[in-house]
Amino acid sequence: MSLNKNNGLKVLLIEDNPGDQILVKDYLEDEFPKLNLDIASDFKETKLFLKEPNIPYKIILLDLSLPDVEKDTLLKEILALAPSTPIIILTGQDDIHTAIQALTLGCTDYLLKNEITSKGLRKSITYAFERKHIDKQLENSVRRYQQLFQLNPQPIWVINNKTSVFLEVNKSAIDKYGYNKEEFLEMCMQDIDPDFDKIDLQKNYNADEILRDGNLHQHQLKNGHKIQVKLYVNPIDYQGIDATLLMSIDLSETESYIRQIEEQNQQLKDIAWEQSHLVRAPLTRMMGIINRLEEKHMAHIMEVDEECSFLLKNVLKSAHEIDDVIRSIVSKSSSKNK
């Protein structure tokens, strides 16, 4: 959200000190003319505000010292009630350590009460929006990566560069190799690829490219079957660990497909040979007999009736047509097998 073009900044101030309530309210009104401010003096009121099914708060200003709840419990409860809302801690000098700890739990900033100014408050709110926006982009990026990783039809793993232990595995790998995710995460790459050498695999690529490993790998499935695969590899940082992303392409299926095509081609060759030799031989003899009959027909045309003459001509014509068809089949079969 742009603070310069807001249609009304909706803020929840959680503060039990009336003087601090007035001071913060004045600072907010100086910087945000369209301010929509709610003030809760204790945790009971806070829960009522946050559970209201209306427009959500754009920012929460939180004093950790409330009379009806412990500090640690308060912060966890607020984060649970408003997980997507930026939270700025308002704290005294004696509570700064707790405020810093709150940042690690998800709060966006903290301000010392005795140092708050209208400009400083505006700057902190602006920072809170920017950080929340960046966090949202990172969450979306991680979600897209997870979707691409899990929905990829090829088996993919993430392995630890030092140990080759599996750190992550996608559904395709689980389906293809037969191990469930828990089993995979207790294994290393050598359990499915005994000849896997991560040093040899990684020495030829740099961090800016995806490389297809030139070697053919034999992988063993859980059921004992072995498949031939090619690996695509890419170095990544996985949760602070130097890791490698591996994707395998099963060449066994490709080889089976090629063998099937070769068998079909051989069948075409056999058909072409049969057409050329077994079928054409008797057809050639038949055409010779028909030609001889035609010669006799021409020599004795006056002695042969009209119907017999018609039949002889059509038999010869049909024989030539069959011969042309066989020649065409043989020619096409031969061209497809070159």
Side-chain angles (χ1 to χ4, degrees), residues 307-326:
E307 181 180 0
C308 183
S309 178
F310 175 79
L311 291 175
L312 282 171
K313 289 180 180 179
N314 278 279
V315 167
L316 185 60
K317 179 182 178 183
S318 297
H320 282 295
E321 289 175 350
I322 293 173
D323 187 52
D324 290 340
V325 170
I326 292 173

Side-chain angles (χ1 to χ4, degrees), residues 11-165:
V11 180
L12 175 61
L13 171 61
I14 305 171
E15 171 64 68
D16 65 326
N17 186 306
D20 289 337
Q21 290 177 359
I22 295 173
L23 186 64
V24 173
K25 180 175 180 293
D26 289 342
Y27 286 150
L28 289 170
E29 289 177 344
D30 288 342
E31 297 295 327
F32 305 102
K34 297 181 180 179
L35 179 68
N36 183 353
L37 177 65
D38 289 324
I39 300 176
S41 299
D42 54 34
F43 183 57
K44 182 179 179 180
E45 280 188 308
T46 299
K47 288 191 291 184
L48 293 176
F49 280 122
L50 291 177
K51 289 181 179 180
E52 283 290 324
N54 52 13
I55 300 173
Y57 292 100
K58 299 296 183 182
I59 199 82
I60 293 175
L61 304 177
L62 174 63
D63 176 16
L64 291 174
S65 301
L66 294 183
D68 57 344
V69 65
E70 294 293 328
K71 295 176 183 179
D72 293 341
T73 301
L74 170 63
L75 185 56
K76 292 177 182 178
E77 291 286 345
I78 298 297
L79 289 169
L81 289 169
S84 60
T85 306
I87 299 173
I88 298 174
I89 303 297
L90 305 180
T91 183
Q93 188 70 43
D94 58 340
D95 213 14
I96 190 171
H97 180 68
T98 303
I100 293 174
Q101 286 182 323
L103 298 181
T104 65
L105 296 177
C107 295
T108 55
D109 199 5
Y110 72 92
L111 297 174
L112 293 174
K113 288 185 177 181
N114 59 356
E115 296 180 0
I116 294 177
T117 64
S118 59
K119 298 293 184 183
L121 186 56
R122 179 184 179 88
K123 182 178 180 181
S124 180
I125 291 175
T126 302
Y127 164 77
F129 276 111
E130 290 177 351
R131 176 176 171 180
K132 207 67 179 180
H133 177 68
I134 292 172
D135 288 346
K136 190 67 175 178
Q137 288 181 318
L138 289 174
E139 289 175 7
N140 291 337
S141 178
V142 170
R143 189 179 300 111
R144 285 194 296 270
Y145 160 76
Q146 290 173 338
Q147 290 173 343
L148 289 172
F149 182 85
Q150 291 298 336
L151 296 179
N152 195 300
Q154 301 299 336
I156 304 179
W157 307 270
V158 176
I159 65 169
N160 187 312
N161 279 352
K162 292 183 178 180
T163 63
S164 295
V165 169

